[in-house]
Amino acid sequence: MNFDVVLYVQMAIALFTILDPIGAIPLYLSMTQGQSRIERRRQIRRTVIAVAVILSLSALAGNAILDFFGIDIHVFQTAGGLFLLLIALNMLQAKGPLIKTTPKEQSEAIEKEDVSVVPLAMPLLSGPGAISTVIIFSSSMEGYDAKAVFIGTIVVVALTVWPILTLAKWLGDRIGATGMNIAVRIMGLILASIAVKFILEGVKAYLF
């Protein structure tokens, strides 16, 4: 089996950028305020598993869902690129996640004992942007071997959420709001480039 290692590394960077676990730190800290270290570790573990499962299922079943609704993958790629561009522009302005929770939802999340799946894993981390991206990536892969490696890539990226959330308070104290905003803006720039690439490739493939 010959795999383009660089391609999978690029996919991993793209997924990490879209998940944006650094940008999720403030909400994570507010939602888990008052919980013990053991409870937070349990929540993080469930969040990581949920992110990996959601994105893996999206990668495996995404094409079938598009076929069921009669949506051409290139049209979906263009639409997904536009959506990612909106997220990227939002990140460049350090405005936080584009998919936001209402004050009522945040209040309910804080009161919940378990926020690992909703809203942390979905929609905060593995939201529409991440799901669209894995569907677009998986659609370009042929054969079970390539998809298996891609699923492995998704799991590795999901695992990167673990240390970031585990060290959330430490990172928040050390780099501060300014540092996190800088990191989010850098990831927003990377995401904008990925979004434009998706749009151009989708339009080109659909029209020509």
Side-chain angles (χ1 to χ4, degrees), residues 17-18 20 80-93 95-99 127-130 133 184 187-188 191-192 195:
T17 302
I18 297 164
D20 188 19
L82 289 171
F83 182 68
L84 290 180
L85 185 58
L86 291 176
I87 296 176
L89 294 175
N90 199 65
M91 292 172 67
L92 286 171
Q93 299 176 64
K95 289 184 177 180
L98 182 63
I99 306 300
T133 302
V184 169
M187 289 191 286
L191 183 57

mmCIF file with all atom_site columns, all heavy atoms in Angstrom, residues 17-18 20 80-93 95-99 127-130 133 184 187-188 191-192 195:
data_model
loop_
_atom_site.group_PDB
_atom_site.id
_atom_site.type_symbol
_atom_site.label_atom_id
_atom_site.label_alt_id
_atom_site.label_comp_id
_atom_site.label_asym_id
_atom_site.label_entity_id
_atom_site.label_seq_id
_atom_site.pdbx_PDB_ins_code
_atom_site.Cartn_x
_atom_site.Cartn_y
_atom_site.Cartn_z
_atom_site.occupancy
_atom_site.B_iso_or_equiv
_atom_site.pdbx_formal_charge
_atom_site.auth_seq_id
_atom_site.auth_comp_id
_atom_site.auth_asym_id
_atom_site.auth_atom_id
_atom_site.pdbx_PDB_model_num
ATOM 1   N N   . THR A 1 17  ? -7.571  22.213 12.899 1.00 0.00 ? 17  THR A N   1
ATOM 2   C CA  . THR A 1 17  ? -7.907  23.634 12.781 1.00 0.00 ? 17  THR A CA  1
ATOM 3   C C   . THR A 1 17  ? -9.403  23.860 12.886 1.00 0.00 ? 17  THR A C   1
ATOM 4   O O   . THR A 1 17  ? -9.869  24.798 13.544 1.00 0.00 ? 17  THR A O   1
ATOM 5   C CB  . THR A 1 17  ? -7.392  24.181 11.439 1.00 0.00 ? 17  THR A CB  1
ATOM 6   O OG1 . THR A 1 17  ? -5.971  23.981 11.350 1.00 0.00 ? 17  THR A OG1 1
ATOM 7   C CG2 . THR A 1 17  ? -7.695  25.665 11.297 1.00 0.00 ? 17  THR A CG2 1
ATOM 8   N N   . ILE A 1 18  ? -10.176 22.988 12.240 1.00 0.00 ? 18  ILE A N   1
ATOM 9   C CA  . ILE A 1 18  ? -11.634 23.134 12.245 1.00 0.00 ? 18  ILE A CA  1
ATOM 10  C C   . ILE A 1 18  ? -12.219 22.799 13.616 1.00 0.00 ? 18  ILE A C   1
ATOM 11  O O   . ILE A 1 18  ? -13.148 23.465 14.097 1.00 0.00 ? 18  ILE A O   1
ATOM 12  C CB  . ILE A 1 18  ? -12.261 22.251 11.153 1.00 0.00 ? 18  ILE A CB  1
ATOM 13  C CG1 . ILE A 1 18  ? -11.787 22.724 9.776  1.00 0.00 ? 18  ILE A CG1 1
ATOM 14  C CG2 . ILE A 1 18  ? -13.785 22.287 11.223 1.00 0.00 ? 18  ILE A CG2 1
ATOM 15  C CD1 . ILE A 1 18  ? -12.022 21.739 8.668  1.00 0.00 ? 18  ILE A CD1 1
ATOM 16  N N   . ASP A 1 20  ? -10.733 23.248 16.429 1.00 0.00 ? 20  ASP A N   1
ATOM 17  C CA  . ASP A 1 20  ? -10.365 24.426 17.221 1.00 0.00 ? 20  ASP A CA  1
ATOM 18  C C   . ASP A 1 20  ? -10.550 24.191 18.724 1.00 0.00 ? 20  ASP A C   1
ATOM 19  O O   . ASP A 1 20  ? -11.311 24.903 19.394 1.00 0.00 ? 20  ASP A O   1
ATOM 20  C CB  . ASP A 1 20  ? -11.198 25.639 16.777 1.00 0.00 ? 20  ASP A CB  1
ATOM 21  C CG  . ASP A 1 20  ? -10.733 26.933 17.435 1.00 0.00 ? 20  ASP A CG  1
ATOM 22  O OD1 . ASP A 1 20  ? -9.594  26.970 17.926 1.00 0.00 ? 20  ASP A OD1 1
ATOM 23  O OD2 . ASP A 1 20  ? -11.523 27.896 17.476 1.00 0.00 ? 20  ASP A OD2 1
ATOM 24  N N   . GLY A 1 80  ? -19.760 23.380 1.321  1.00 0.00 ? 80  GLY A N   1
ATOM 25  C CA  . GLY A 1 80  ? -18.969 23.181 2.533  1.00 0.00 ? 80  GLY A CA  1
ATOM 26  C C   . GLY A 1 80  ? -17.824 24.176 2.624  1.00 0.00 ? 80  GLY A C   1
ATOM 27  O O   . GLY A 1 80  ? -17.511 24.682 3.703  1.00 0.00 ? 80  GLY A O   1
ATOM 28  N N   . GLY A 1 81  ? -17.203 24.466 1.479  1.00 0.00 ? 81  GLY A N   1
ATOM 29  C CA  . GLY A 1 81  ? -16.126 25.450 1.449  1.00 0.00 ? 81  GLY A CA  1
ATOM 30  C C   . GLY A 1 81  ? -16.607 26.830 1.850  1.00 0.00 ? 81  GLY A C   1
ATOM 31  O O   . GLY A 1 81  ? -15.934 27.557 2.581  1.00 0.00 ? 81  GLY A O   1
ATOM 32  N N   . LEU A 1 82  ? -17.794 27.208 1.370  1.00 0.00 ? 82  LEU A N   1
ATOM 33  C CA  . LEU A 1 82  ? -18.365 28.510 1.726  1.00 0.00 ? 82  LEU A CA  1
ATOM 34  C C   . LEU A 1 82  ? -18.644 28.591 3.227  1.00 0.00 ? 82  LEU A C   1
ATOM 35  O O   . LEU A 1 82  ? -18.390 29.620 3.865  1.00 0.00 ? 82  LEU A O   1
ATOM 36  C CB  . LEU A 1 82  ? -19.654 28.750 0.931  1.00 0.00 ? 82  LEU A CB  1
ATOM 37  C CG  . LEU A 1 82  ? -19.476 29.023 -0.568 1.00 0.00 ? 82  LEU A CG  1
ATOM 38  C CD1 . LEU A 1 82  ? -20.825 29.025 -1.277 1.00 0.00 ? 82  LEU A CD1 1
ATOM 39  C CD2 . LEU A 1 82  ? -18.763 30.358 -0.789 1.00 0.00 ? 82  LEU A CD2 1
ATOM 40  N N   . PHE A 1 83  ? -19.167 27.488 3.770  1.00 0.00 ? 83  PHE A N   1
ATOM 41  C CA  . PHE A 1 83  ? -19.458 27.466 5.207  1.00 0.00 ? 83  PHE A CA  1
ATOM 42  C C   . PHE A 1 83  ? -18.166 27.560 6.022  1.00 0.00 ? 83  PHE A C   1
ATOM 43  O O   . PHE A 1 83  ? -18.093 28.296 7.015  1.00 0.00 ? 83  PHE A O   1
ATOM 44  C CB  . PHE A 1 83  ? -20.217 26.191 5.562  1.00 0.00 ? 83  PHE A CB  1
ATOM 45  C CG  . PHE A 1 83  ? -20.597 26.102 7.016  1.00 0.00 ? 83  PHE A CG  1
ATOM 46  C CD1 . PHE A 1 83  ? -21.533 26.956 7.558  1.00 0.00 ? 83  PHE A CD1 1
ATOM 47  C CD2 . PHE A 1 83  ? -19.992 25.172 7.838  1.00 0.00 ? 83  PHE A CD2 1
ATOM 48  C CE1 . PHE A 1 83  ? -21.871 26.889 8.907  1.00 0.00 ? 83  PHE A CE1 1
ATOM 49  C CE2 . PHE A 1 83  ? -20.324 25.081 9.181  1.00 0.00 ? 83  PHE A CE2 1
ATOM 50  C CZ  . PHE A 1 83  ? -21.274 25.954 9.717  1.00 0.00 ? 83  PHE A CZ  1
ATOM 51  N N   . LEU A 1 84  ? -17.136 26.825 5.590  1.00 0.00 ? 84  LEU A N   1
ATOM 52  C CA  . LEU A 1 84  ? -15.850 26.885 6.285  1.00 0.00 ? 84  LEU A CA  1
ATOM 53  C C   . LEU A 1 84  ? -15.244 28.278 6.194  1.00 0.00 ? 84  LEU A C   1
ATOM 54  O O   . LEU A 1 84  ? -14.593 28.744 7.130  1.00 0.00 ? 84  LEU A O   1
ATOM 55  C CB  . LEU A 1 84  ? -14.882 25.858 5.693  1.00 0.00 ? 84  LEU A CB  1
ATOM 56  C CG  . LEU A 1 84  ? -15.183 24.380 5.958  1.00 0.00 ? 84  LEU A CG  1
ATOM 57  C CD1 . LEU A 1 84  ? -14.133 23.501 5.295  1.00 0.00 ? 84  LEU A CD1 1
ATOM 58  C CD2 . LEU A 1 84  ? -15.235 24.104 7.454  1.00 0.00 ? 84  LEU A CD2 1
ATOM 59  N N   . LEU A 1 85  ? -15.464 28.949 5.061  1.00 0.00 ? 85  LEU A N   1
ATOM 60  C CA  . LEU A 1 85  ? -14.936 30.308 4.906  1.00 0.00 ? 85  LEU A CA  1
ATOM 61  C C   . LEU A 1 85  ? -15.597 31.256 5.902  1.00 0.00 ? 85  LEU A C   1
ATOM 62  O O   . LEU A 1 85  ? -14.934 32.127 6.472  1.00 0.00 ? 85  LEU A O   1
ATOM 63  C CB  . LEU A 1 85  ? -15.165 30.794 3.472  1.00 0.00 ? 85  LEU A CB  1
ATOM 64  C CG  . LEU A 1 85  ? -14.557 32.156 3.118  1.00 0.00 ? 85  LEU A CG  1
ATOM 65  C CD1 . LEU A 1 85  ? -13.046 32.149 3.343  1.00 0.00 ? 85  LEU A CD1 1
ATOM 66  C CD2 . LEU A 1 85  ? -14.875 32.517 1.663  1.00 0.00 ? 85  LEU A CD2 1
ATOM 67  N N   . LEU A 1 86  ? -16.889 31.070 6.130  1.00 0.00 ? 86  LEU A N   1
ATOM 68  C CA  . LEU A 1 86  ? -17.579 31.892 7.131  1.00 0.00 ? 86  LEU A CA  1
ATOM 69  C C   . LEU A 1 86  ? -17.002 31.654 8.524  1.00 0.00 ? 86  LEU A C   1
ATOM 70  O O   . LEU A 1 86  ? -16.801 32.591 9.300  1.00 0.00 ? 86  LEU A O   1
ATOM 71  C CB  . LEU A 1 86  ? -19.081 31.581 7.122  1.00 0.00 ? 86  LEU A CB  1
ATOM 72  C CG  . LEU A 1 86  ? -19.872 32.031 5.890  1.00 0.00 ? 86  LEU A CG  1
ATOM 73  C CD1 . LEU A 1 86  ? -21.319 31.557 5.991  1.00 0.00 ? 86  LEU A CD1 1
ATOM 74  C CD2 . LEU A 1 86  ? -19.829 33.548 5.746  1.00 0.00 ? 86  LEU A CD2 1
ATOM 75  N N   . ILE A 1 87  ? -16.739 30.368 8.832  1.00 0.00 ? 87  ILE A N   1
ATOM 76  C CA  . ILE A 1 87  ? -16.138 30.036 10.130 1.00 0.00 ? 87  ILE A CA  1
ATOM 77  C C   . ILE A 1 87  ? -14.757 30.671 10.245 1.00 0.00 ? 87  ILE A C   1
ATOM 78  O O   . ILE A 1 87  ? -14.392 31.236 11.279 1.00 0.00 ? 87  ILE A O   1
ATOM 79  C CB  . ILE A 1 87  ? -16.039 28.508 10.298 1.00 0.00 ? 87  ILE A CB  1
ATOM 80  C CG1 . ILE A 1 87  ? -17.433 27.874 10.323 1.00 0.00 ? 87  ILE A CG1 1
ATOM 81  C CG2 . ILE A 1 87  ? -15.276 28.156 11.579 1.00 0.00 ? 87  ILE A CG2 1
ATOM 82  C CD1 . ILE A 1 87  ? -17.415 26.364 10.389 1.00 0.00 ? 87  ILE A CD1 1
ATOM 83  N N   . ALA A 1 88  ? -13.977 30.584 9.151  1.00 0.00 ? 88  ALA A N   1
ATOM 84  C CA  . ALA A 1 88  ? -12.620 31.129 9.156  1.00 0.00 ? 88  ALA A CA  1
ATOM 85  C C   . ALA A 1 88  ? -12.634 32.640 9.362  1.00 0.00 ? 88  ALA A C   1
ATOM 86  O O   . ALA A 1 88  ? -11.834 33.182 10.138 1.00 0.00 ? 88  ALA A O   1
ATOM 87  C CB  . ALA A 1 88  ? -11.909 30.784 7.847  1.00 0.00 ? 88  ALA A CB  1
ATOM 88  N N   . LEU A 1 89  ? -13.530 33.338 8.677  1.00 0.00 ? 89  LEU A N   1
ATOM 89  C CA  . LEU A 1 89  ? -13.625 34.791 8.830  1.00 0.00 ? 89  LEU A CA  1
ATOM 90  C C   . LEU A 1 89  ? -14.002 35.155 10.263 1.00 0.00 ? 89  LEU A C   1
ATOM 91  O O   . LEU A 1 89  ? -13.519 36.148 10.811 1.00 0.00 ? 89  LEU A O   1
ATOM 92  C CB  . LEU A 1 89  ? -14.652 35.359 7.841  1.00 0.00 ? 89  LEU A CB  1
ATOM 93  C CG  . LEU A 1 89  ? -14.275 35.247 6.355  1.00 0.00 ? 89  LEU A CG  1
ATOM 94  C CD1 . LEU A 1 89  ? -15.427 35.733 5.480  1.00 0.00 ? 89  LEU A CD1 1
ATOM 95  C CD2 . LEU A 1 89  ? -13.012 36.057 6.061  1.00 0.00 ? 89  LEU A CD2 1
ATOM 96  N N   . ASN A 1 90  ? -14.871 34.329 10.850 1.00 0.00 ? 90  ASN A N   1
ATOM 97  C CA  . ASN A 1 90  ? -15.254 34.551 12.248 1.00 0.00 ? 90  ASN A CA  1
ATOM 98  C C   . ASN A 1 90  ? -14.060 34.352 13.178 1.00 0.00 ? 90  ASN A C   1
ATOM 99  O O   . ASN A 1 90  ? -13.846 35.107 14.125 1.00 0.00 ? 90  ASN A O   1
ATOM 100 C CB  . ASN A 1 90  ? -16.380 33.585 12.614 1.00 0.00 ? 90  ASN A CB  1
ATOM 101 C CG  . ASN A 1 90  ? -17.149 34.027 13.844 1.00 0.00 ? 90  ASN A CG  1
ATOM 102 O OD1 . ASN A 1 90  ? -17.802 35.065 13.831 1.00 0.00 ? 90  ASN A OD1 1
ATOM 103 N ND2 . ASN A 1 90  ? -17.074 33.253 14.914 1.00 0.00 ? 90  ASN A ND2 1
ATOM 104 N N   . MET A 1 91  ? -13.240 33.322 12.888 1.00 0.00 ? 91  MET A N   1
ATOM 105 C CA  . MET A 1 91  ? -12.052 33.055 13.694 1.00 0.00 ? 91  MET A CA  1
ATOM 106 C C   . MET A 1 91  ? -11.011 34.161 13.537 1.00 0.00 ? 91  MET A C   1
ATOM 107 O O   . MET A 1 91  ? -10.325 34.527 14.494 1.00 0.00 ? 91  MET A O   1
ATOM 108 C CB  . MET A 1 91  ? -11.447 31.698 13.301 1.00 0.00 ? 91  MET A CB  1
ATOM 109 C CG  . MET A 1 91  ? -12.312 30.510 13.674 1.00 0.00 ? 91  MET A CG  1
ATOM 110 S SD  . MET A 1 91  ? -11.685 28.948 12.991 1.00 0.00 ? 91  MET A SD  1
ATOM 111 C CE  . MET A 1 91  ? -10.155 28.762 13.916 1.00 0.00 ? 91  MET A CE  1
ATOM 112 N N   . LEU A 1 92  ? -10.869 34.706 12.327 1.00 0.00 ? 92  LEU A N   1
ATOM 113 C CA  . LEU A 1 92  ? -9.893  35.768 12.088 1.00 0.00 ? 92  LEU A CA  1
ATOM 114 C C   . LEU A 1 92  ? -10.219 37.016 12.902 1.00 0.00 ? 92  LEU A C   1
ATOM 115 O O   . LEU A 1 92  ? -9.336  37.823 13.202 1.00 0.00 ? 92  LEU A O   1
ATOM 116 C CB  . LEU A 1 92  ? -9.846  36.111 10.599 1.00 0.00 ? 92  LEU A CB  1
ATOM 117 C CG  . LEU A 1 92  ? -9.133  35.087 9.708  1.00 0.00 ? 92  LEU A CG  1
ATOM 118 C CD1 . LEU A 1 92  ? -9.342  35.401 8.237  1.00 0.00 ? 92  LEU A CD1 1
ATOM 119 C CD2 . LEU A 1 92  ? -7.642  35.046 10.036 1.00 0.00 ? 92  LEU A CD2 1
ATOM 120 N N   . GLN A 1 93  ? -11.492 37.171 13.237 1.00 0.00 ? 93  GLN A N   1
ATOM 121 C CA  . GLN A 1 93  ? -11.898 38.301 14.065 1.00 0.00 ? 93  GLN A CA  1
ATOM 122 C C   . GLN A 1 93  ? -11.961 37.929 15.547 1.00 0.00 ? 93  GLN A C   1
ATOM 123 O O   . GLN A 1 93  ? -12.384 38.732 16.376 1.00 0.00 ? 93  GLN A O   1
ATOM 124 C CB  . GLN A 1 93  ? -13.276 38.809 13.605 1.00 0.00 ? 93  GLN A CB  1
ATOM 125 C CG  . GLN A 1 93  ? -13.273 39.305 12.162 1.00 0.00 ? 93  GLN A CG  1
ATOM 126 C CD  . GLN A 1 93  ? -14.656 39.715 11.707 1.00 0.00 ? 93  GLN A CD  1
ATOM 127 O OE1 . GLN A 1 93  ? -15.243 40.654 12.226 1.00 0.00 ? 93  GLN A OE1 1
ATOM 128 N NE2 . GLN A 1 93  ? -15.196 39.006 10.729 1.00 0.00 ? 93  GLN A NE2 1
ATOM 129 N N   . LYS A 1 95  ? -13.907 35.983 17.177 1.00 0.00 ? 95  LYS A N   1
ATOM 130 C CA  . LYS A 1 95  ? -15.249 36.125 17.736 1.00 0.00 ? 95  LYS A CA  1
ATOM 131 C C   . LYS A 1 95  ? -15.749 34.853 18.405 1.00 0.00 ? 95  LYS A C   1
ATOM 132 O O   . LYS A 1 95  ? -16.863 34.804 18.893 1.00 0.00 ? 95  LYS A O   1
ATOM 133 C CB  . LYS A 1 95  ? -16.242 36.525 16.635 1.00 0.00 ? 95  LYS A CB  1
ATOM 134 C CG  . LYS A 1 95  ? -16.067 37.950 16.144 1.00 0.00 ? 95  LYS A CG  1
ATOM 135 C CD  . LYS A 1 95  ? -17.145 38.299 15.145 1.00 0.00 ? 95  LYS A CD  1
ATOM 136 C CE  . LYS A 1 95  ? -17.041 39.751 14.697 1.00 0.00 ? 95  LYS A CE  1
ATOM 137 N NZ  . LYS A 1 95  ? -18.096 40.100 13.704 1.00 0.00 ? 95  LYS A NZ  1
ATOM 138 N N   . GLY A 1 96  ? -14.927 33.807 18.397 1.00 0.00 ? 96  GLY A N   1
ATOM 139 C CA  . GLY A 1 96  ? -15.388 32.555 18.983 1.00 0.00 ? 96  GLY A CA  1
ATOM 140 C C   . GLY A 1 96  ? -16.089 31.701 17.951 1.00 0.00 ? 96  GLY A C   1
ATOM 141 O O   . GLY A 1 96  ? -16.172 32.043 16.772 1.00 0.00 ? 96  GLY A O   1
ATOM 142 N N   . PRO A 1 97  ? -16.646 30.567 18.356 1.00 0.00 ? 97  PRO A N   1
ATOM 143 C CA  . PRO A 1 97  ? -17.291 29.641 17.428 1.00 0.00 ? 97  PRO A CA  1
ATOM 144 C C   . PRO A 1 97  ? -18.454 30.295 16.686 1.00 0.00 ? 97  PRO A C   1
ATOM 145 O O   . PRO A 1 97  ? -19.214 31.064 17.268 1.00 0.00 ? 97  PRO A O   1
ATOM 146 C CB  . PRO A 1 97  ? -17.790 28.505 18.336 1.00 0.00 ? 97  PRO A CB  1
ATOM 147 C CG  . PRO A 1 97  ? -16.976 28.628 19.577 1.00 0.00 ? 97  PRO A CG  1
ATOM 148 C CD  . PRO A 1 97  ? -16.672 30.084 19.745 1.00 0.00 ? 97  PRO A CD  1
ATOM 149 N N   . LEU A 1 98  ? -18.552 29.975 15.378 1.00 0.00 ? 98  LEU A N   1
ATOM 150 C CA  . LEU A 1 98  ? -19.677 30.498 14.591 1.00 0.00 ? 98  LEU A CA  1
ATOM 151 C C   . LEU A 1 98  ? -20.972 29.827 15.027 1.00 0.00 ? 98  LEU A C   1
ATOM 152 O O   . LEU A 1 98  ? -22.027 30.454 15.074 1.00 0.00 ? 98  LEU A O   1
ATOM 153 C CB  . LEU A 1 98  ? -19.427 30.235 13.099 1.00 0.00 ? 98  LEU A CB  1
ATOM 154 C CG  . LEU A 1 98  ? -20.485 30.763 12.131 1.00 0.00 ? 98  LEU A CG  1
ATOM 155 C CD1 . LEU A 1 98  ? -20.564 32.289 12.216 1.00 0.00 ? 98  LEU A CD1 1
ATOM 156 C CD2 . LEU A 1 98  ? -20.169 30.342 10.701 1.00 0.00 ? 98  LEU A CD2 1
ATOM 157 N N   . ILE A 1 99  ? -20.901 28.526 15.319 1.00 0.00 ? 99  ILE A N   1
ATOM 158 C CA  . ILE A 1 99  ? -22.068 27.813 15.824 1.00 0.00 ? 99  ILE A CA  1
ATOM 159 C C   . ILE A 1 99  ? -22.126 28.046 17.323 1.00 0.00 ? 99  ILE A C   1
ATOM 160 O O   . ILE A 1 99  ? -21.386 27.442 18.093 1.00 0.00 ? 99  ILE A O   1
ATOM 161 C CB  . ILE A 1 99  ? -21.976 26.296 15.531 1.00 0.00 ? 99  ILE A CB  1
ATOM 162 C CG1 . ILE A 1 99  ? -21.743 26.059 14.043 1.00 0.00 ? 99  ILE A CG1 1
ATOM 163 C CG2 . ILE A 1 99  ? -23.242 25.592 15.979 1.00 0.00 ? 99  ILE A CG2 1
ATOM 164 C CD1 . ILE A 1 99  ? -22.833 26.602 13.151 1.00 0.00 ? 99  ILE A CD1 1
ATOM 165 N N   . GLY A 1 127 ? -18.713 19.993 14.902 1.00 0.00 ? 127 GLY A N   1
ATOM 166 C CA  . GLY A 1 127 ? -19.920 20.626 14.385 1.00 0.00 ? 127 GLY A CA  1
ATOM 167 C C   . GLY A 1 127 ? -20.070 20.440 12.887 1.00 0.00 ? 127 GLY A C   1
ATOM 168 O O   . GLY A 1 127 ? -19.374 19.618 12.273 1.00 0.00 ? 127 GLY A O   1
ATOM 169 N N   . PRO A 1 128 ? -20.954 21.210 12.261 1.00 0.00 ? 128 PRO A N   1
ATOM 170 C CA  . PRO A 1 128 ? -21.202 21.089 10.813 1.00 0.00 ? 128 PRO A CA  1
ATOM 171 C C   . PRO A 1 128 ? -19.955 21.266 9.961  1.00 0.00 ? 128 PRO A C   1
ATOM 172 O O   . PRO A 1 128 ? -19.787 20.600 8.953  1.00 0.00 ? 128 PRO A O   1
ATOM 173 C CB  . PRO A 1 128 ? -22.211 22.206 10.544 1.00 0.00 ? 128 PRO A CB  1
ATOM 174 C CG  . PRO A 1 128 ? -22.893 22.430 11.849 1.00 0.00 ? 128 PRO A CG  1
ATOM 175 C CD  . PRO A 1 128 ? -21.851 22.195 12.899 1.00 0.00 ? 128 PRO A CD  1
ATOM 176 N N   . GLY A 1 129 ? -19.061 22.182 10.375 1.00 0.00 ? 129 GLY A N   1
ATOM 177 C CA  . GLY A 1 129 ? -17.847 22.409 9.592  1.00 0.00 ? 129 GLY A CA  1
ATOM 178 C C   . GLY A 1 129 ? -16.953 21.186 9.561  1.00 0.00 ? 129 GLY A C   1
ATOM 179 O O   . GLY A 1 129 ? -16.465 20.781 8.498  1.00 0.00 ? 129 GLY A O   1
ATOM 180 N N   . ALA A 1 130 ? -16.741 20.572 10.720 1.00 0.00 ? 130 ALA A N   1
ATOM 181 C CA  . ALA A 1 130 ? -15.892 19.378 10.799 1.00 0.00 ? 130 ALA A CA  1
ATOM 182 C C   . ALA A 1 130 ? -16.532 18.200 10.064 1.00 0.00 ? 130 ALA A C   1
ATOM 183 O O   . ALA A 1 130 ? -15.854 17.450 9.355  1.00 0.00 ? 130 ALA A O   1
ATOM 184 C CB  . ALA A 1 130 ? -15.636 19.012 12.254 1.00 0.00 ? 130 ALA A CB  1
ATOM 185 N N   . THR A 1 133 ? -16.203 18.631 6.352  1.00 0.00 ? 133 THR A N   1
ATOM 186 C CA  . THR A 1 133 ? -14.827 18.421 5.919  1.00 0.00 ? 133 THR A CA  1
ATOM 187 C C   . THR A 1 133 ? -14.485 16.945 5.795  1.00 0.00 ? 133 THR A C   1
ATOM 188 O O   . THR A 1 133 ? -13.875 16.527 4.802  1.00 0.00 ? 133 THR A O   1
ATOM 189 C CB  . THR A 1 133 ? -13.846 19.097 6.901  1.00 0.00 ? 133 THR A CB  1
ATOM 190 O OG1 . THR A 1 133 ? -14.151 20.493 6.971  1.00 0.00 ? 133 THR A OG1 1
ATOM 191 C CG2 . THR A 1 133 ? -12.407 18.923 6.444  1.00 0.00 ? 133 THR A CG2 1
ATOM 192 N N   . VAL A 1 184 ? -6.183  31.424 17.655 1.00 0.00 ? 184 VAL A N   1
ATOM 193 C CA  . VAL A 1 184 ? -7.421  31.239 16.892 1.00 0.00 ? 184 VAL A CA  1
ATOM 194 C C   . VAL A 1 184 ? -7.322  31.938 15.539 1.00 0.00 ? 184 VAL A C   1
ATOM 195 O O   . VAL A 1 184 ? -7.769  31.407 14.520 1.00 0.00 ? 184 VAL A O   1
ATOM 196 C CB  . VAL A 1 184 ? -8.623  31.780 17.691 1.00 0.00 ? 184 VAL A CB  1
ATOM 197 C CG1 . VAL A 1 184 ? -9.868  31.855 16.806 1.00 0.00 ? 184 VAL A CG1 1
ATOM 198 C CG2 . VAL A 1 184 ? -8.901  30.888 18.894 1.00 0.00 ? 184 VAL A CG2 1
ATOM 199 N N   . MET A 1 187 ? -5.173  29.863 13.167 1.00 0.00 ? 187 MET A N   1
ATOM 200 C CA  . MET A 1 187 ? -5.942  28.724 12.667 1.00 0.00 ? 187 MET A CA  1
ATOM 201 C C   . MET A 1 187 ? -7.028  29.178 11.702 1.00 0.00 ? 187 MET A C   1
ATOM 202 O O   . MET A 1 187 ? -7.351  28.485 10.743 1.00 0.00 ? 187 MET A O   1
ATOM 203 C CB  . MET A 1 187 ? -6.531  27.940 13.840 1.00 0.00 ? 187 MET A CB  1
ATOM 204 C CG  . MET A 1 187 ? -5.488  27.177 14.632 1.00 0.00 ? 187 MET A CG  1
ATOM 205 S SD  . MET A 1 187 ? -6.190  26.003 15.813 1.00 0.00 ? 187 MET A SD  1
ATOM 206 C CE  . MET A 1 187 ? -6.791  27.142 17.059 1.00 0.00 ? 187 MET A CE  1
ATOM 207 N N   . GLY A 1 188 ? -7.575  30.372 11.932 1.00 0.00 ? 188 GLY A N   1
ATOM 208 C CA  . GLY A 1 188 ? -8.567  30.912 11.017 1.00 0.00 ? 188 GLY A CA  1
ATOM 209 C C   . GLY A 1 188 ? -7.989  31.175 9.652  1.00 0.00 ? 188 GLY A C   1
ATOM 210 O O   . GLY A 1 188 ? -8.646  30.936 8.620  1.00 0.00 ? 188 GLY A O   1
ATOM 211 N N   . LEU A 1 191 ? -7.596  27.858 7.965  1.00 0.00 ? 191 LEU A N   1
ATOM 212 C CA  . LEU A 1 191 ? -8.913  27.356 7.571  1.00 0.00 ? 191 LEU A CA  1
ATOM 213 C C   . LEU A 1 191 ? -9.454  28.104 6.366  1.00 0.00 ? 191 LEU A C   1
ATOM 214 O O   . LEU A 1 191 ? -10.088 27.505 5.497  1.00 0.00 ? 191 LEU A O   1
ATOM 215 C CB  . LEU A 1 191 ? -9.884  27.480 8.747  1.00 0.00 ? 191 LEU A CB  1
ATOM 216 C CG  . LEU A 1 191 ? -11.291 26.923 8.526  1.00 0.00 ? 191 LEU A CG  1
ATOM 217 C CD1 . LEU A 1 191 ? -11.223 25.451 8.139  1.00 0.00 ? 191 LEU A CD1 1
ATOM 218 C CD2 . LEU A 1 191 ? -12.135 27.106 9.780  1.00 0.00 ? 191 LEU A CD2 1
ATOM 219 N N   . ALA A 1 192 ? -9.198  29.403 6.283  1.00 0.00 ? 192 ALA A N   1
ATOM 220 C CA  . ALA A 1 192 ? -9.655  30.187 5.132  1.00 0.00 ? 192 ALA A CA  1
ATOM 221 C C   . ALA A 1 192 ? -9.012  29.662 3.853  1.00 0.00 ? 192 ALA A C   1
ATOM 222 O O   . ALA A 1 192 ? -9.675  29.567 2.805  1.00 0.00 ? 192 ALA A O   1
ATOM 223 C CB  . ALA A 1 192 ? -9.320  31.658 5.333  1.00 0.00 ? 192 ALA A CB  1
ATOM 224 N N   . ALA A 1 195 ? -10.705 26.451 2.936  1.00 0.00 ? 195 ALA A N   1
ATOM 225 C CA  . ALA A 1 195 ? -12.056 26.722 2.433  1.00 0.00 ? 195 ALA A CA  1
ATOM 226 C C   . ALA A 1 195 ? -12.027 27.178 0.987  1.00 0.00 ? 195 ALA A C   1
ATOM 227 O O   . ALA A 1 195 ? -12.817 26.716 0.156  1.00 0.00 ? 195 ALA A O   1
ATOM 228 C CB  . ALA A 1 195 ? -12.728 27.783 3.313  1.00 0.00 ? 195 ALA A CB  1
#
